[in-house]
Amino acid sequence: MLIDTYGRVATDLRVSLTDRCNLRCTYCMPEEGLQWLAKPDLLTDDEIVRLVRIAVTRLGITEVRFTGGEPLLRPGLVGIVERCAQLEPRPKMSLTTNGIGLKRTAQALKAAGLDRVNVSLDTLRPDVFKTLTRRDRHKDVLEGLEAARDAGLTPVKVNTVLMPGLNDDEAPDLLAWAVENDYELRFIEQMPLDAQHGWKRDGMITAGDILQSLRTRFELTEEGSAERGSAPAERWLVDGGPHRVGVIASVTRPFCSACDRTRLTADGQVRTCLFATEETDLRAALRATPAEGADGTTGADGTTGSDATTGSDEEIARIWKLAMWGKKAGSGLDDPSFLQPDRPMSAIGG
């Protein structure tokens, strides 16, 4: 299992499939985009499936979330999902996406074995969407959400970031819309993961601000900690239920003590935390020439392919375990000396 020195066990794997994105959200990257990872640096489809297999069969991972960048830009996405769905034990699988492209892929993803989706949508107003994302694709996202719901990729969760002066007045309208369409809305505090390093704590829309706004129109009943478990979102029943709304307050209400995640970047680096400044390279181990005996035969020293030889599953699992053992107690967001990671969100995987 993937356990750290504080007794937390990681069972949820976030797998970034690409750092590329077809939107340019102002809180994520500059209008001109970023310097994307070179293709040789990206994990291949086979390498991704192998690492997921190691995580599921050797390290106790029970849930896999495919992320990006925008994962729908990965040509082999459906095949990756299909192959991971064949693992024993079968992990729960979900996808975080901006929704562009879901209209044409939702049915195929469901048939391949994907369980559900999280779709990012920050506004109901097409003009505000264009300002926030620098793209005129609002209609495509709405159609993608409908396609996901119709395909059975449920519960469909909608992730929303509120930005001062742009969409900070939309919280009640967004919740009313989500309830009407049977989506589960989750507000996320803006986090210091933008490529421009322009995030400022002062002026950000906090969980307290969001809840105050929602309560002007809805009665919210907080779920207990037992219901939340290790989930990042605090959740409230809306007007007595059954619909719920969540708030992920990474900045003002950190939940590090219950974290059960491990992260894999598109270029094969393990990250123990979204805000980590250190990474552990699995790609090098994946691409290393296996030592004698790594193919299941018996080597001169008596070892077999199940032992920790270079490039073997056992060796990769050992490296992964060691990385997670060193996971820090918290993200450090509440520390005045906090340093923003060099990688932006699109290169980490949400």
Side-chain angles (χ1 to χ4, degrees), residues 42-288:
L42 295 172
L43 295 178
T44 66
D45 293 0
D46 287 344
E47 288 171 335
I48 290 170
V49 173
R50 184 183 175 196
L51 287 176
V52 173
R53 174 176 56 77
I54 291 170
V56 169
T57 62
R58 291 176 175 264
L59 298 174
I61 292 297
T62 59
E63 297 188 37
V64 178
R65 173 85 61 86
F66 297 107
T67 70
E70 174 45 52
L72 292 179
L73 296 179
R74 178 90 184 201
L77 172 61
V78 173
I80 291 170
V81 171
E82 186 173 25
R83 293 167 67 184
C84 291
Q86 296 169 3
L87 294 173
E88 292 291 342
R90 183 196 185 284
K92 295 179 182 177
M93 293 187 297
S94 57
L95 178 81
T96 295
T97 171
N98 61 30
I100 297 173
L102 257 185
K103 182 179 179 179
R104 69 174 185 274
T105 56
Q107 290 288 350
L109 287 167
K110 180 64 177 180
L114 191 71
D115 294 306
R116 64 170 193 82
V117 294
N118 283 35
V119 179
S120 299
L121 180 65
D122 300 324
T123 177
L124 297 177
R125 303 194 292 252
D127 60 323
V128 175
F129 182 91
K130 188 174 181 179
T131 299
L132 276 168
T133 68
R134 304 185 177 105
R135 298 291 186 271
D136 190 11
R137 306 297 297 272
H138 190 257
K139 181 174 179 286
D140 296 319
V141 179
L142 295 180
E143 290 178 348
L145 279 161
E146 293 173 6
R149 183 189 60 204
D150 294 345
L153 293 170
T154 55
V156 174
K157 297 183 179 180
V158 178
N159 295 341
T160 297
V161 177
L162 296 180
M163 299 292 291
L166 284 173
N167 62 339
D168 52 347
D169 61 336
E170 287 195 67
D173 290 340
L174 281 159
L175 182 53
W177 165 82
V179 167
E180 180 182 352
N181 288 279
D182 202 24
Y183 304 140
E184 183 174 322
L185 183 63
R186 291 133 48 95
F187 293 96
I188 303 176
E189 289 182 337
Q190 185 198 3
M191 295 179 283
L193 291 169
D194 58 307
Q196 308 94 303
H197 286 219
W199 177 87
K200 289 182 173 56
R201 191 182 303 267
D202 295 340
M204 63 170 283
I205 308 300
T206 67
D209 298 330
I210 294 164
L211 292 170
Q212 182 178 8
S213 178
L214 292 176
R215 286 186 170 120
T216 63
R217 195 181 305 180
F218 302 95
E219 179 184 342
L220 303 181
T221 306
E222 188 172 5
E223 288 188 337
S225 57
E227 287 283 343
R228 181 182 184 184
S230 59
E234 297 177 74
R235 299 199 306 179
W236 286 261
L237 290 172
V238 180
D239 292 338
H243 294 286
R244 293 172 171 83
V245 64
V247 178
I248 299 177
S250 302
V251 178
T252 62
R253 303 181 185 181
F255 38 85
C256 302
S257 62
C259 182
D260 66 348
R261 294 180 181 176
T262 183
R263 297 176 180 275
L264 181 66
T265 66
D267 56 346
Q269 310 300 306
V270 167
R271 295 178 65 89
T272 61
C273 173
L274 196 57
F275 302 100
T277 53
E278 308 89 17
E279 300 176 339
T280 300
D281 187 7
L282 292 186
R283 185 185 62 199
L286 274 173
R287 296 179 180 178

